[in-house]
Structure formats: C-alpha cells, structure tokens
Amino acid sequence: MVAAAQLFLTGPALAACEFASGERTAALVELYTSEGCSSCPPADRQLARLREALDPGAQAVPLALHVGYWDYIGWKDPYAQPAFAARQEWLVRANRQRTLYTPQFFVSGAELRATRSTLREAVRRLNRTPAAADVRVGASASGKDTLRLSAQASAASRAPLELYVALTESTLVSKVTRGENAGVTLEHDHVVRQWIGPVPFAGDGARLEREVRLAAGWNRSRLELAAFVQDGDTGRVLQAAGGHCDAF
C-alpha cells in the first residue's frame, strides 16, 4: 500500500501528514457518485484503480464526492452531503453544460468522459504544465478525536481564486439492501468526509486553520488529505496537493 500512497503525493512529504505541491500542475480528479446509482460501481472502481491507469510518477489527487439526489429510489447514501451536489451543479454550469448525472468525472474542473486512456491523457497533459499556484496542506492530532487542519496557497493571478481542503477516507465498505444496487457490497476509496471551502484569496494568497472532529466510525489509518486552488469564475483548478496520512 505504500507504493500506491506515494502516487498521490504531489510534492515531497514534509511530515507525517504534510504535503506540498510541486513545480508542475497536479490533476484534481473528482468523481461524483452515488450508492443509489447502478452505473456508479464501475466508476468507483475506476477511481480506486487510478494509479494503474496513469503513467509512473503521475501527479493526481483523487476525490469521490457522493451525492444524495438518488436517495429517493430507496437507498440513502451514507456518504452523501448536500454540498457535493451543489458543487457538481456549479461545475456543470461552469463547463457550460446542463445535465447533472452520475457517475460524472471532472479533471481539474473540466468535465471528462472518463476511460482509462482519457484519464491518463488528461492527467499527463496537466502534469506537463508549469504550476500556476503553490499549495501546502497538513494535519496534526490536537486531541483524542480532533485533527487540526492547516493549508496555505499562493498564486500570481487576477482571477477570483479560492482554496479548498478535503479530508477523505479509503477502503470503505457498504452492504446495500435497497434501491438499484440492492444485494451488492460496494467498496469505496478517496471518499470525502470533510469539505472546507471556499476560502477566498486575499491579495495573492489564502490561509486556513480549522479543527475537525473525527467521527467514531472513521478509520484513521486510511485517512487522506487534499487541498486545491480553484478559479471561482471558471472552475479551473490551478494546483492541488495531498496524500495518505499516517494514523493519528
């Protein structure tokens, strides 16, 4: 698992759970998914196996954002948050599209009909691009059930930039008993548990410090941290950083 985790370090690891972006642009790979959607499990597996699809040493930060608008079918997605559906809707509009659907991929803010080859090429193209922003993110235990998250970013841009931070968890398992996936056991990686942002830039930078309480059911040994800078008008992601955190 160590080798797999290293893929998602978009710069040198600075501490047990501290990451910094590099000189090239890392790809933010967002998957909008739902346990109430029968078409989603293959996309969930695709995100979980992202490392296998990319070039060696590729720089990518994966996020699985679960939405709840399929809950009415009969199964309530336990990982869904209203903020994720709102972000998906905003990204669809920013891409000048009209249709919200699952599964739906965005790579650094651009919608992508994701296959193994299209994902590899999109990440490769971004990784060739000099970074337009610097991002640093870290976490430390500040109590028995609390993490202190910190992030900072800088960029020379006149665009309305925003900083986001996400805490994710991998190796989650759900036994679905109703809805389109009734009777299926689903496995998930990179599921967003905590979402913070937007934090608007002031001048050429932004900074965040926040304490987050860890829920009792979270597996601390499988937590991951991510941060990224986004253009608040176009949805373009300028840079991202993140990786797997050691147990707290």
Side-chain angles (χ1 to χ4, degrees), residues 63-230:
L63 299 177
L65 297 104
H66 285 240
V67 296
Y69 49 76
W70 297 124
D71 288 359
Y72 76 92
I73 295 176
W75 176 256
K76 182 176 175 61
D77 191 318
Y79 310 117
Q81 298 185 31
F84 303 157
R87 174 170 174 79
Q88 183 187 15
E89 183 177 359
W90 183 84
L91 283 172
V92 167
R93 291 199 308 268
N95 278 260
R96 299 182 178 180
Q97 302 296 324
R98 296 183 178 181
T99 306
L100 224 67
Y101 62 90
T102 56
Q104 188 172 27
F105 278 93
F106 292 87
V107 177
S108 292
E111 184 184 12
L112 181 72
R113 299 287 179 168
T115 65
R116 186 183 180 95
S117 61
T118 59
L119 270 172
R120 180 172 60 248
E121 183 53 39
V123 172
R124 181 185 293 162
R125 183 173 62 254
L126 286 162
N127 287 174
R128 289 172 179 159
T129 306
D134 294 317
V135 181
R136 186 181 297 252
V137 61
S140 60
S142 62
K144 181 180 179 182
D145 299 311
T146 307
L147 288 184
R148 179 177 293 277
L149 305 182
S150 62
Q152 60 185 42
S154 61
S157 172
R158 295 184 179 180
L161 301 183
E162 302 165 335
L163 171 65
Y164 287 83
V165 174
L167 185 65
T168 73
E169 185 180 353
S170 287
T171 63
L172 293 168
V173 178
S174 290
K175 295 182 178 180
V176 180
T177 59
R178 296 182 300 279
E180 290 188 356
N181 289 315
V184 177
T185 298
L186 301 177
E187 300 179 359
H188 307 296
D189 285 336
H190 317 300
V191 175
V192 177
R193 290 294 211 170
Q194 185 76 38
W195 180 260
I196 304 172
V199 179
F201 268 49
D204 61 358
R207 183 183 296 270
L208 163 75
E209 288 194 8
R210 184 77 58 85
E211 285 197 347
V212 173
R213 187 167 183 82
L214 300 177
W218 294 4
N219 184 343
R220 302 185 186 194
S221 68
R222 300 304 303 159
L223 294 179
E224 301 160 351
L225 194 59
F228 63 93
V229 172
Q230 173 184 277

Side-chain angles (χ1 to χ4, degrees), residues 10-48:
T10 61
L14 306 177
C17 193
E18 189 174 352
F19 308 99
S21 60
E23 297 180 354
R24 297 287 170 173
T25 303
L28 182 75
V29 181
E30 298 177 68
L31 169 62
Y32 290 85
T33 184
S34 171
E35 289 193 343
C37 157
S38 61
S39 301
C40 287
D44 295 335
R45 291 191 292 270
Q46 189 176 8
L47 189 73

